[in-house]
C-alpha cells in the first residue's frame, strides 16, 4: 500500500537522483507531498506546472502584441507565440493548444505547432494529476469522452479543453472526481461505475486492443492524446533533462 | 516584558491555567481550508486562531523584487482588527507585523527550494483571527502546512514553539499573560527533520544554561507539533475530509 509522505521524509537511505527529491549525500528526501509506492516510486500529489521543452500545453491568448501573442499556459511564466508560427490571426481570449519549442534558464518560452480550439470550455486541474486523468493508454480520458460525447484535449499543464457538443457537465464532474480521488486505487472502475450510472449506459474501461480503434474513431482530438498516453509521466521524468536542454 | 514579580506559577508547581511547565496548549490543525488559495491551513492553538494561505509560484510583482535565480518567498503576517481584547497586537501595518513578516519569510527561505522557479514569487498570507500569545509560532506552523499543501518544493517542514521564563522557571508555550508578565519570551522555529533552528528570538534575559534547557524543551515540543502537521496534511486526502474541525480538548503533555 502506497503511503503519503510530506516534505523532508526519507524515501531512500542512499543518495538517489529522483524527481521531487533532494539528497544530502546520505539519504534521499521528498520535497513535495507525494505518494510513496512500495517499490519506492514517488508520485506527487500537489504542485505547480514546470514548463519543459516539447510539452504540449493548452492555454489562451492573454495579450496581443506586435509580432505575436502572449499565451497564458497556467504556469508562473507567460509564453510568447510568434505570428510566424501561424497563417491566421488569433484573437484575445482564444483557446489554443501549443508545443513548447524552446525554453531557457529564465523560463522565456517560444511556442509553436499551434492549433486553435473552438466551441468548448477550459477546465483546470492540478498538473500533477494529468497522468491519472489520461490513464493507461488513454483509458480514462477515452472513457469520459465516450460517455459524455465531448471531444477532450488534455494539456501537460493541467488545462483540459472540453468541446461543447456533448454533455460537458458530465465530463467536468468526472474530471473533478478523478482530481479529488487521484491518490486512491481502483479509480478507473469507480469512474466507469459513476459514468454508467449517470448515462444509463454501460461504460467500461477500454481494453488495450479496443483502445486503438477508439482512438481513431473518436474524432480529431484523440490523436494528441495518443502521444500523451505513450509518454512516461512525472514520477519518472528525469530532473536533469532541463540542464541538457540548456547546454545544447 | 512587564513586571517580573507577578506570581505566574502556583504553589502546586503548575501554571495559572493549570498546565505543567512543559505542557503545550491544545492544538488542532486542518489543511486545505480555502478553495481559492493553492494551499492553506487553519491552526487553532489554545485561544489562537490563525489561517494561512499560500499562492504561487506566480509572477513576481513589483518586478524590481524578482530575482533571475530564485523565487522570492514573501510572507505577510497580519492581525485582524477583532483578534485581540487588549493591547496585545493591534491590526493594520505596524512595526510589529512588519518584523514578524520579515522573520517568517526568512525562516521559510531556508527550506523552500526556490531555484526551481526563477523570476517568481511565493506569497504566504497569514491572518491572525484571534490571538492569545505565541501567534508567530502558530503562524509559522500554519504557513508550513499551507506550503506543503500547495505542493511547493521544500527541503523540510517547519514547526515553531516558544519557551519562556516565569518566576525563575523555564516553561513551554507562553500564553498572552505569561508573555506580558513573565521574565522572558523566546520563540523558536525548527526544521522538522534536521532539528536546525530557523528562527530564534529573545525578549527578556536568560542565562546560557536556561537557553540550552529551553531549546531542548522546544525541540521535543516541535516534534509533537510536526506530528500534528503531518496528520493534518494526510487528513486532507481522507474520503471524509469534510468533517468539522474538532479541537483536541486535552492539553498535549510533552
Amino acid at each position: 500500500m502506497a503511503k503519503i509522505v510530506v516534505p523532508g521524509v526519507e524515501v531512500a537511505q542512499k543518495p538517489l537522483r529522483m524527481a521531487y527529491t533532494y539528497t544530502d549525500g546520505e539519504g534521499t528526501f521528498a520535497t513535495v507531498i507525494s505518494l510513496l509506492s512500495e517499490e519506492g516510486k514517488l508520485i506527487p500529489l500537489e504542485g505547480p506546472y514546470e514548463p519543459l521543452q516539447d510539452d504540449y500545453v493548452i492555454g489562451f491568448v492573454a495579450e496581443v502584441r506586435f509580432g505575436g501573442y502572449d499565451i497564458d499556459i497556467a504556469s508562473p511564466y507567460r509564453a510568447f507565440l510568434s505570428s510566424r508560427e501561424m497563417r491566421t490571426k488569433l484573437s484575445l481570449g482564444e483557446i489554443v493548444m501549443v508545443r513548447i519549442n524552446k525554453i531557457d534558464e529564465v523560463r522565456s518560452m517560444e511556442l509553436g505547432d499551434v492549433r486553435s480550439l473552438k466551441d468548448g470550455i477550459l477546465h483546470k486541474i492540478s498538473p500533477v494529476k494529468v497522468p491519472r486523468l489520461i490513464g493507461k493508454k488513454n483509458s480514462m480520458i477515452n472513457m469520459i469522452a465516450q460517455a459524455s460525447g465531448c471531444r477532450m484535449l488534455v494539456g501537460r499543464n493541467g488545462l483540459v479543453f472540453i468541446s461543447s457538443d456533448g454533455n460537458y457537465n458530465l465530463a467536468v464532474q468526472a474530471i473533478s472526481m478523478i482530481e479529488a480521488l487521484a491518490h486512491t486505487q481502483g479509480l478507473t472502475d469507480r469512474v466507469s461505475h459513476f459514468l454508467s450510472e449517470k448515462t444509463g449506459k454501460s461504460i467500461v474501461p477500454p481494453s488495450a486492443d479496443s483502445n486503438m480503434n477508439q482512438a481513431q474513431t473518436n474524432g480529431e482530438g484523440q490523436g494528441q492524446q495518443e502521444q500523451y498516453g505513450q509518454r512516461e509521466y512525472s514520477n519518472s521524468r528525469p530532473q536533469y533533462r532541463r540542464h541538457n536542454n540548456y547546454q545544447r | 516584558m512587564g513586571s517580573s514579580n507577578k506570581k505566574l506559577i502556583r504553589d502546586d508547581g503548575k501554571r495559572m491555567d493549570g498546565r505543567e511547565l512543559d505542557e503545550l496548549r491544545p492544538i488542532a490543525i486542518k489543511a486545505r481550508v480555502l478553495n481559492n488559495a493553492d494551499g492553506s491551513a487553519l491552526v487553532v492553538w489554545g485561544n489562537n486562531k490563525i489561517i494561512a494561505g499560500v499562492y504561487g509560484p506566480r509572477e513576481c510583482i513589483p518586478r524590481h523584487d524578482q530575482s533571475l535565480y530564485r523565487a522570492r518567498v514573501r510572507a505577510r503576517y497580519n492581525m485582524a482588527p477583532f483578534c485581540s481584547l487588549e493591547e496585545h497586537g493591534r491590526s493594520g501595518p505596524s512595526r510589529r507585523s512588519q518584523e514578524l513578516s520579515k522573520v517568517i519569510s526568512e525562516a521559510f527561505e531556508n527550506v523552500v527550494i526556490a531555484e526551481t522557479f526563477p523570476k517568481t514569487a511565493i506569497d504566504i498570507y497569514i491572518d491572525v483571527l484571534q490571538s492569545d500569545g505565541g501567534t508567530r509560532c502558530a503562524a509559522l506552523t500554519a504557513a508550513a502546512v499551507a506550503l506543503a499543501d500547495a505542493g511547493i518544493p521544500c527541503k523540510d517542514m517547519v514547526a515553531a514553539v516558544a519557551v519562556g521564563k516565569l518566576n525563575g522557571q523555564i516553561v513551554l508555550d507562553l500564553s498572552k499573560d505569561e508573555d506580558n508578565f513573565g521574565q522572558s519570551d523566546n520563540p523558536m522555529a525548527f526544521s522538522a527533520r534536521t532539528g536546525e533552528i530557523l528562527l530564534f528570538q529573545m525578549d527578556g534575559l536568560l542565562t546560557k544554561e536556561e537557553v540550552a534547557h529551553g531549546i531542548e524543551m522546544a525541540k521535543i515540543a516541535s516534534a509533537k507539533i510536526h506530528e500534528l502537521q503531518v496528520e493534518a496534511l494526510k487528513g486532507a486526502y481522507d474520503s471524509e475530509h469534510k468533517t468539522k474541525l474538532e479541537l483536541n480538548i486535552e492539553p498535549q503533555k510533552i
Side-chain angles (χ1 to χ4, degrees):
Chain A
M1 195 55 201
K3 61 172 183 181
I4 295 174
V5 294
V6 300
V9 171
E10 193 170 59
V11 294
Q13 281 166 344
K14 53 180 189 276
L16 289 178
R17 200 163 187 176
M18 248 163 92
Y20 304 104
T21 62
Y22 74 100
T23 173
D24 62 351
E26 283 166 22
T28 308
F29 308 94
T31 58
V32 294
I33 183 160
S34 1
L35 270 184
L36 179 64
S37 68
E38 272 168 39
E39 310 92 70
K41 266 173 88 180
L42 207 59
I43 303 156
L45 290 171
E46 302 293 334
Y49 172 62
E50 277 181 70
L52 285 180
Q53 193 171 329
D54 300 336
D55 273 356
Y56 274 93
V57 294
I58 291 176
F60 60 88
V61 179
E63 205 171 321
V64 181
R65 306 168 69 111
F66 180 75
Y69 307 92
D70 270 350
I71 310 287
D72 188 328
I73 55 165
S75 90
Y77 312 98
R78 283 276 177 88
F80 185 70
L81 171 63
S82 165
S83 329
R84 280 181 304 181
E85 299 287 338
M86 317 157 279
R87 295 177 192 182
T88 52
K89 283 186 173 164
L90 296 176
S91 53
L92 197 65
E94 201 166 332
I95 300 171
V96 286
M97 173 167 232
V98 284
R99 193 169 74 112
I100 299 176
N101 278 344
K102 211 165 118 190
I103 177 160
D104 66 11
E105 53 274 75
V106 289
R107 311 290 190 268
S108 301
M109 279 173 263
E110 283 175 24
L111 305 175
D113 199 1
V114 196
R115 230 175 74 197
S116 172
L117 305 174
K118 295 214 158 61
D119 301 329
I121 56 162
L122 267 188
H123 186 73
K124 189 175 177 351
I125 65 164
S126 172
V128 294
K129 285 164 185 169
V130 165
R132 209 65 217 262
L133 173 61
I134 292 168
K136 277 198 183 110
K137 293 194 175 166
N138 306 338
S139 56
M140 191 79 91
I141 193 79
N142 281 350
M143 209 164 69
I144 301 173
Q146 188 202 339
S148 63
C150 299
R151 284 181 302 117
M152 294 170 73
L153 276 172
V154 187
R156 201 69 194 77
N157 56 344
L159 285 180
V160 187
F161 175 81
I162 308 165
S163 75
S164 53
D165 47 11
N167 181 359
Y168 60 71
N169 281 328
L170 179 67
V172 169
Q173 274 176 10
I175 292 169
S176 309
M177 180 179 168
I178 293 165
E179 199 190 4
L181 300 173
H183 59 287
T184 58
Q185 290 188 324
L187 187 57
T188 317
D189 291 339
R190 250 192 277 186
V191 173
S192 84
H193 185 73
F194 168 79
L195 291 173
S196 305
E197 213 167 65
K198 284 276 176 184
T199 54
K201 287 182 282 188
S202 159
I203 306 288
V204 287
S207 64
D209 304 335
S210 64
N211 179 37
M212 288 305 291
N213 304 330
Q214 232 174 26
Q216 284 156 11
T217 52
N218 237 343
E220 51 167 338
Q222 300 294 333
Q224 204 57 66
Q225 288 158 18
E226 196 71 16
Q227 287 188 18
Y228 289 123
Q230 282 161 2
R231 257 176 75 173
E232 286 288 301
Y233 283 112
S234 43
N235 47 354
S236 53
R237 283 169 130 193
Q239 201 96 84
Y240 47 81
R241 183 172 139 207
R242 175 173 301 121
H243 302 293
N244 291 345
N245 286 343
Y246 293 157
Q247 281 157 14
R248 253 182 254 137
Chain B
M1 293 294 113
S3 62
S4 54
N5 53 4
K6 200 142 188 163
K7 195 177 169 191
L8 289 164
I9 296 188
R10 302 195 304 217
D11 292 335
D12 62 357
K14 291 190 176 179
R15 287 143 79 176
M16 293 320 265
D17 54 7
R19 284 189 287 159
E20 303 276 355
L21 300 185
D22 58 350
E23 204 165 324
L24 283 169
R25 284 171 282 180
I27 300 172
I29 307 177
K30 184 167 176 168
R32 200 165 306 163
V33 288
L34 306 173
N35 281 335
N36 297 341
D38 295 323
S40 56
L42 172 68
V43 168
V44 182
W45 181 317
N47 286 328
N48 291 314
K49 283 198 183 78
I50 289 170
I51 199 156
V54 169
Y55 288 84
R58 62 181 181 183
E59 195 184 351
C60 184
I61 296 168
R63 278 178 83 162
H64 60 77
D65 260 2
Q66 73 184 22
S67 159
L68 286 177
Y69 303 100
R70 46 177 41 246
R72 286 268 177 258
V73 181
R74 302 187 293 198
R76 194 227 47 185
Y77 169 100
N78 183 43
M79 283 186 132
F82 46 78
C83 74
S84 171
L85 278 175
E86 295 157 48
E87 284 296 296
H88 173 85
R90 296 219 307 261
S91 74
S94 62
R95 189 210 58 82
R96 181 176 175 278
S97 64
Q98 273 181 51
E99 173 206 320
L100 296 191
S101 301
K102 178 175 182 291
V103 294
I104 292 170
S105 305
E106 282 167 5
F108 283 116
E109 268 173 12
N110 290 298
V111 292
V112 173
I113 305 173
E115 295 79 11
T116 331
F117 296 100
K119 294 207 293 186
T120 62
I122 295 163
D123 288 319
I124 307 167
Y125 295 111
I126 302 161
D127 277 276
V128 179
L129 305 180
Q130 189 173 300
S131 74
D132 185 37
T135 54
R136 79 191 67 187
C137 295
L140 271 155
T141 306
V145 176
L147 267 177
D149 183 38
I152 288 166
C154 292
K155 284 184 184 160
D156 211 343
M157 290 192 63
V158 182
V161 69
V163 295
K165 188 170 159 188
L166 309 178
N167 304 138
Q169 305 224 51
I170 299 296
V171 299
L172 184 73
D173 188 19
L174 302 182
S175 68
K176 191 201 91 187
D177 290 336
E178 290 170 337
D179 178 356
N180 288 166
F181 302 107
Q183 290 161 291
S184 179
D185 173 28
N186 208 337
M188 297 174 211
F190 295 90
S191 180
R193 178 175 73 83
T194 57
E196 284 167 352
I197 295 174
L198 301 176
L199 172 124
F200 190 96
Q201 292 183 294
M202 185 153 81
D203 196 0
L205 294 175
L206 289 177
T207 66
K208 209 171 162 186
E209 291 73 31
E210 283 167 339
V211 170
H213 177 53
I215 289 175
E216 278 316 302
M217 213 183 216
K219 220 175 220 175
I220 297 166
S222 78
K224 174 80 192 171
I225 294 160
H226 178 61
E227 272 174 39
L228 295 172
Q229 289 178 313
V230 174
E231 267 173 44
L233 284 167
K234 288 182 179 169
Y237 291 94
D238 284 349
S239 48
E240 309 106 55
H241 177 54
K242 283 176 182 134
T243 48
K244 266 197 308 192
L245 179 76
E246 279 173 54
L247 194 63
N248 180 0
I249 298 301
E250 289 299 309
Q252 285 138 30
K253 190 167 182 309
I254 298 302

